[in-house]
Amino acid sequence: MMRWTIPAALLLLAACSGGQDDESSPEASSNVGPLQKAERPAPAEMSPADTETEAPTKADDTIDVRTIPAAIRGRWALDATDCPKRPGTDLTVLTIDGANLRFHESHGELARVRESGAGRIVADYRFSGEGEEWDRRMRLDLADGGKTLIRRDEGEGAAAGPMRYTRCV
């Protein structure tokens, strides 16, 4: 009986260790201190399963959860004086279609809808621009009877507060 107790205890101990030695992790070989490891946010990754849309949190049969709501689509500007400017000179303009957000120097493609309603959407987008690629979650809400779009970014590198866009007519 004693000869089975010690090997079983060793197996149990090995199973509890998690299987990864802290000294072999990528961070262990770098010059990153324990405090810096804790402060650094986890990288935002999207698995192929994340690209599938999920049902909105509030059911509404008139909303297509695979696209940006029609009421939000259009041309918007942080600075209303950019509205009449031609493309390329309209630095604060955001153009929204069914699946894309287009800024002056970047483009975001709809990856996953988290919440959706007639005048709002919370979704993940895959962005590219100026040789970079990144993922960002954004909340877009209509206000002032559809004349104003309020954008809130979430995650690493997100803008600190809401941004208010005016609808270009």
Side-chain angles (χ1 to χ4, degrees):
M1 176 78 173
M2 181 67 165
R3 65 180 185 188
W4 293 109
T5 308
I6 293 174
L10 288 174
L11 285 172
L12 195 63
L13 185 59
C16 292
S17 73
Q20 182 177 354
D21 185 18
D22 284 341
E23 296 305 314
S24 66
S25 70
E27 289 180 338
S29 63
S30 67
N31 293 329
V32 178
L35 184 58
Q36 291 169 318
K37 289 180 188 177
E39 291 175 349
R40 189 170 30 188
E45 295 180 9
M46 289 188 177
S47 67
D50 286 341
T51 60
E52 297 175 15
T53 45
E54 61 184 34
T57 56
K58 295 181 181 176
D60 185 339
D61 293 334
T62 62
I63 303 301
D64 180 356
V65 296
R66 296 172 307 231
T67 64
I68 298 169
I72 294 176
R73 299 176 198 172
R75 196 162 180 262
W76 303 87
L78 282 172
D79 180 353
T81 62
D82 278 345
C83 284
K85 294 180 180 176
R86 64 179 173 61
T89 62
D90 52 355
L91 304 181
T92 71
V93 168
L94 163 61
T95 304
I96 303 173
D97 65 26
N100 299 281
L101 305 177
R102 295 186 191 284
F103 295 90
H104 177 69
E105 294 180 334
S106 64
H107 165 250
E109 185 177 339
L110 183 64
R112 181 179 186 188
V113 175
R114 303 251 176 198
E115 295 177 34
S116 186
R120 68 174 172 73
I121 186 171
V122 178
D124 298 329
Y125 299 87
R126 288 198 175 101
F127 276 91
S128 62
E130 298 184 334
E132 302 283 327
E133 291 185 357
W134 65 98
D135 296 328
R136 175 72 32 88
R137 181 169 299 156
M138 287 185 179
R139 177 184 187 104
L140 303 173
D141 292 294
L142 290 179
D144 303 327
K147 296 176 185 175
T148 303
L149 177 73
I150 301 171
R151 178 183 131 206
R152 293 175 183 89
D153 296 0
E154 298 177 16
E156 183 182 347
M163 290 166 269
R164 297 178 69 83
Y165 289 81
T166 301
R167 185 181 292 275
C168 297
V169 207

